[in-house]
Amino acid sequence: SASAAPMSESDHYFSASGGTQQSEGQPSTPGPGGHHANGPAFGVGGERAVAAISTSNPVESFLAMISNKQIDQVDEAIFRMGELVLTLLKLSIGPQFYSKCELCIRALRKVCVEEDESPAYFAFLQKVMLMTKGGPQDQFWTQHVVAAALGPITVAESPSSVITVAEANQFMTDGIKAPAPPQIDDEMVGVDEILDQLE
């Protein structure tokens, strides 16, 4: 509605167990090693393990999950970052969250190159394309994905990829054919909780 309050991103985390956690207004302050002080879990030797991605500082908390050497959270972090981007796109009023989503995708792509996770990135990118390309959010696809050179990871970048540069360029231009955009699991990503902030 016209009187709706802006989304309070600092209050939500996309957790490793699914859904969001509310931080009760507490700031997301880094702890030892750069991990968030309000992260929910500890790793071996008392090192704090970031098990959630903050909507206020998604790139920072994502990279903290990736860099944790005590607990392997790479797959979980990649999945959670993808879910967060899709949810922010779903909730974005016009270009409200476009810049934040671009930063998240850029970080996600870089990590997927470094960790040889190009198939996971391509699967995510297909979802973004289906959600945005040719629709009301086409601006996001053209200006924040295509123009930002955030296309599929190619064989020239990672041994885990089977996509050539030509195929990547074709994907960005023509996309893929699919029956319908992917449906986001509202319960999994905590959309209801975030929407409560908008009412």
Side-chain angles (χ1 to χ4, degrees):
S1 64
S3 60
M7 173 179 164
S8 177
E9 295 183 356
S10 62
D11 290 340
H12 290 88
Y13 287 81
F14 280 63
S15 68
S17 59
T20 61
Q21 300 177 11
Q22 195 163 5
S23 64
E24 300 180 355
Q26 295 299 318
S28 178
T29 54
H35 299 316
H36 289 276
N38 42 6
F42 288 88
V44 178
E47 181 180 348
R48 188 173 297 278
V50 179
I53 294 179
S54 164
T55 56
S56 60
N57 294 296
V59 172
E60 180 184 351
S61 51
F62 170 66
L63 294 179
M65 287 184 71
I66 294 295
S67 63
N68 189 312
K69 303 304 181 184
Q70 301 297 332
I71 302 176
D72 185 355
Q73 302 181 96
V74 172
D75 290 344
E76 188 69 38
I78 289 172
F79 173 75
R80 290 297 158 196
M81 181 61 106
E83 291 295 304
L84 184 146
V85 170
L86 295 174
T87 301
L88 288 180
L89 284 174
K90 181 177 181 180
L91 299 179
S92 185
I93 300 173
Q96 182 182 11
F97 300 131
Y98 285 5
S99 294
K100 181 184 286 285
C101 287
E102 179 183 335
L103 290 175
C104 290
I105 295 175
R106 188 175 301 281
L108 179 61
R109 190 183 192 281
K110 183 175 185 294
V111 164
C112 285
V113 170
E114 295 171 348
E115 298 290 338
D116 290 332
E117 293 287 350
S118 60
Y121 181 75
F122 185 59
F124 159 75
L125 198 62
Q126 291 179 70
K127 294 179 182 180
V128 174
M129 186 275 294
L130 290 170
M131 179 180 288
T132 60
K133 188 176 186 292
Q137 293 185 308
D138 187 70
Q139 176 187 351
F140 179 78
W141 178 257
T142 57
Q143 296 183 15
H144 295 272
V145 179
V146 177
L150 297 176
I153 297 167
T154 69
V155 292
E157 299 173 276
S158 171
S160 67
S161 177
V162 296
I163 302 173
T164 66
V165 173
E167 289 170 337
N169 290 337
Q170 183 178 9
F171 171 82
M172 297 295 275
T173 303
D174 302 332
I176 59 174
K177 294 181 179 179
Q183 296 298 314
I184 298 177
D185 187 335
D186 289 0
E187 181 177 353
M188 175 180 292
V189 298
V191 169
D192 289 341
E193 290 90 334
I194 296 178
L195 286 174
D196 287 342
Q197 300 294 317
L198 302 173
E199 297 177 353

